[in-house]
Amino acid sequence: MSTTSTKLSVSDLDASYGDHQVLHSIDMDIPAKEVTALIGPSGCGKSTYLRCLNRMHELTTAATVNGTVQLDGADIYHDDIDPVLLRRHIGMVFQKPAPFPTWSIADNVLAGLKLTGGVPDNADEIVEKALKGAALWEEVKDKLDKPGTSLSGGQQQRLCIARAITVEPDVLLMDEPCSAIDPVATARVENLIHELGENYTIVVVTHNMQQAARISDKTAFLMMGELVEFDETSKLFSNPSKQETEDYITGKFG
Amino acid sequence: MTPKHTVQAYQAELQQLRDRLEAMTELVYDMIANAREALKTGDVELAEQTVQLDHQVNQQEVEIDRFCLEILVRRQSVAGDLRFILAAMKMVTQLERIGDQAASVCHAVTDQPPGLQPAGADLVDDVAQAAKTVIDKAITAFLQEGVDLAFEAIDADDDVNEEYDRASRKLLSQMSDGELAMETGISIQSIAKRFERMADCATNIAEAIIFALDAQDIRHRDKLASAPTGNKV
């Protein structure tokens, strides 16, 4: 059963690219061990917002962030926080699956450990556990030494999810994780997101509102860089509180 | 300006659903008026014509339900659109039931039990009038998208129940005194019940309209609020 405690607490968050302010004063408590979907029109800032949650936004030239993001009460933008180590706690899965092309499936799963401190003796166990967690084990258990890129797109995306959960993060951020894969692979990844939501805090950006309705416990609607509405998914899609939300999810224009 | 759907075909489908509901509503409304008229005048021909209309109502119920299903499959409707389509599916079920009740009144007219006109018809007319008020309010609430009117329809159902009780007492008294044959009295009672049931169906329509427009599910609200909570073993 999911908890209702807050994992990530976002307060008065602004984000900009140079002079262009993309996010305006976002306040949001993201619940632990639940799936939170971010929806909104193109350019509304949802991907930028996601990238602020593990300090990837600041990697872009001239990008700035103001406000606070707390992980279990600790400010992730504090000077003492190492962004690289932070990303072990707050992992990310991208739109297009991007396994390391020359690495084997097993090495791809272990990539996070290799890059942040080394692989322990029980590497085989870790690989099996992560691939099982990503619902990929049965399909790849006999070809772990084959390149990650030998897999289909959907399998590669689940491999990337396995890679992300190997380092046992607290939070998984997913940016349009199904937009580059076919409907069957999408169903598998959605199923996986649902299962992972039992143990991980997941924040997923999606253009597909039906997908948000299917996989998330809570949904946030952003428009022009502002958080318009954040509520239980069933409430937001059956009876949204704001007219802007109603117009967007029903596909209306003024 | 009310925002319109970006997908024009979707906008047109929702408008078509509304148009079809209005057409079905008009047909059922005609059936009620005809049933009342036939009951008052003993016009068997009008009663028979009205029974024929029930086939059209049944057909419309099936067609509108199927149309709703098609919209849901194609558009995966949400929010106000979803509530409207769900309410439409409930409305057609209730309209079909009202049509059945009107057809049953007409069947009673064609059976022509002795004493039905004018005395029997007069006895149930207050029930019919009270039921018409509920149906008028519910239908107007749908046409004008008026939540307040829908609530008024629900409140007005109490008047129908009172009129039905009054008519029942009068019938019982007349049957006890021998003024009215048992067979006729029971037939008239059954007709009064048909009008009372029509008002119940109209109340259900009003509830569906409130759900569609205001997202409030007020069905059985009082009973559920007073029901004991906790698991039964």
Side-chain angles (χ1 to χ4, degrees):
Chain A
M1 194 177 155
S2 59
T3 62
T4 53
S5 62
T6 297
K7 176 57 83 175
L8 280 169
S9 184
V10 179
S11 173
D12 202 18
L13 185 77
D14 297 334
S16 304
Y17 295 98
D19 294 338
H20 177 52
Q21 187 170 348
V22 178
L23 295 179
H24 302 269
S25 194
I26 306 280
D27 291 307
M28 190 167 154
D29 284 342
I30 296 171
K33 295 187 180 179
E34 286 193 9
V35 179
T36 297
L38 305 179
I39 63 167
S42 296
C44 72
K46 51 191 187 298
S47 288
T48 300
Y49 179 42
L50 196 73
R51 293 163 66 86
C52 287
L53 298 180
N54 72 344
R55 295 188 59 174
M56 285 191 67
H57 175 64
E58 68 199 47
L59 298 176
T60 309
T61 310
T64 54
V65 177
N66 285 306
T68 58
V69 177
Q70 293 182 324
L71 174 66
D72 290 326
D75 183 3
I76 69 168
Y77 282 95
H78 193 277
D79 291 343
D80 293 344
I81 298 290
D82 176 353
V84 176
L85 285 177
L86 171 75
R87 291 179 202 126
R88 274 191 69 153
H89 293 281
I90 307 178
M92 195 154 192
V93 175
F94 299 90
Q95 189 170 357
K96 205 171 168 191
F100 294 105
T102 57
W103 291 22
S104 69
I105 292 169
D107 286 344
N108 260 287
V109 174
L110 296 169
L113 297 175
K114 286 179 180 234
L115 297 172
T116 57
V119 179
D121 294 339
N122 61 339
D124 291 348
E125 264 178 56
I126 291 170
V127 168
E128 183 174 341
K129 186 181 170 195
L131 287 170
K132 280 182 173 171
L136 188 59
W137 174 249
E138 289 302 324
E139 293 160 64
V140 302
K141 63 184 178 188
D142 299 324
K143 49 181 177 183
L144 294 173
D145 56 344
K146 295 277 190 290
T149 46
S150 66
L151 300 174
S152 70
Q155 287 173 325
Q156 286 187 26
Q157 191 61 301
R158 280 180 285 150
L159 177 61
C160 291
I161 292 172
R163 184 173 67 189
I165 62 177
T166 304
V167 294
E168 298 186 335
D170 295 301
V171 180
L172 267 179
L173 308 177
M174 298 184 173
D175 192 359
E176 297 268 6
C178 301
S179 64
I181 55 179
D182 68 62
V184 174
T186 294
R188 291 210 174 98
V189 171
E190 285 186 4
N191 198 33
L192 179 58
I193 291 170
H194 184 71
E195 285 172 11
L196 291 173
E198 297 283 316
N199 297 309
Y200 296 91
T201 300
I202 296 177
V203 185
V204 55
V205 164
T206 176
H207 259 114
N208 182 330
M209 283 181 294
Q210 279 73 38
Q211 182 174 67
R214 285 193 297 267
I215 63 174
S216 68
D217 301 291
K218 286 196 164 170
T219 298
F221 170 55
L222 284 90
M223 195 165 72
M224 297 172 74
E226 293 185 359
L227 177 63
V228 176
E229 187 164 350
F230 178 42
D231 211 332
E232 299 289 332
T233 296
S234 57
K235 166 77 168 59
L236 190 133
F237 281 101
S238 63
N239 180 26
S241 301
K242 301 283 175 62
Q243 188 61 44
E244 297 99 306
T245 314
E246 169 97 22
D247 290 347
Y248 178 71
I249 64 174
T250 56
K252 290 174 186 160
F253 63 90
Chain B
M1 177 182 164
T2 308
K4 289 188 171 159
H5 290 85
T6 310
V7 179
Q8 291 174 8
Y10 184 22
Q11 182 79 25
E13 284 164 8
L14 290 173
Q15 185 57 49
Q16 193 184 347
L17 174 58
R18 172 166 280 279
D19 293 344
R20 285 187 179 196
L21 276 171
E22 283 187 25
M24 185 178 181
T25 303
E26 276 177 33
L27 195 56
V28 170
Y29 204 72
D30 285 348
M31 285 185 73
I32 301 165
N34 289 355
R36 243 183 122 189
E37 181 65 19
L39 182 63
K40 277 183 187 169
T41 60
D43 186 340
V44 173
E45 196 178 336
L46 180 62
E48 285 172 346
Q49 286 170 1
T50 305
V51 169
Q52 291 305 312
L53 292 179
D54 195 36
H55 298 307
Q56 289 181 42
V57 170
N58 293 345
Q59 193 176 350
Q60 290 188 359
E61 181 196 18
V62 173
E63 286 175 359
I64 294 174
D65 259 347
R66 190 168 56 210
F67 188 53
C68 288
L69 192 65
E70 280 173 21
I71 297 176
L72 289 172
V73 167
R74 289 160 66 91
R75 309 294 179 195
Q76 290 100 45
S77 307
V78 294
D81 296 338
L82 176 62
R83 296 198 310 273
F84 170 59
I85 294 166
L86 293 177
M89 296 179 86
K90 289 181 182 177
M91 273 184 71
V92 293
T93 303
Q94 299 303 321
L95 286 169
E96 190 275 336
R97 286 180 184 165
I98 292 175
D100 282 348
Q101 301 295 341
S104 294
V105 172
C106 291
H107 279 305
V109 173
T110 54
D111 289 346
Q112 288 190 302
L116 186 59
Q117 283 93 21
D122 284 349
L123 267 171
V124 300
D125 200 51
D126 287 343
V127 185
Q129 180 56 43
K132 182 177 180 296
T133 302
V134 177
I135 295 161
D136 282 350
K137 284 179 186 291
I139 289 174
T140 311
F142 164 64
L143 296 174
Q144 297 180 359
E145 300 190 354
V147 173
D148 292 344
L149 261 174
F151 275 108
E152 283 180 27
I154 293 165
D155 290 342
D157 189 46
D158 290 343
D159 298 337
V160 181
N161 295 334
E162 280 175 24
E163 291 297 344
Y164 174 72
D165 288 344
R166 189 174 298 142
S168 296
R169 283 196 301 273
K170 205 181 279 184
L171 278 167
L172 196 61
S173 165
Q174 290 187 3
M175 285 189 286
S176 305
D177 296 345
E179 293 172 32
L180 198 61
M182 278 291 183
E183 189 186 351
T184 307
I186 290 168
S187 178
I188 295 168
Q189 166 98 29
S190 164
I191 291 169
K193 189 68 186 169
R194 301 287 180 196
F195 283 108
E196 192 269 336
R197 287 293 302 136
M198 286 184 210
D200 286 344
C201 293
T203 302
N204 292 339
I205 289 173
E207 289 172 348
I209 291 164
I210 292 166
F211 173 72
L213 296 175
D214 216 25
Q216 291 186 67
D217 188 351
I218 62 161
R219 293 172 301 164
H220 318 297
R221 190 166 54 179
D222 296 340
K223 284 180 189 166
L224 289 174
S226 59
T229 53
N231 296 327
K232 286 181 180 171
V233 179

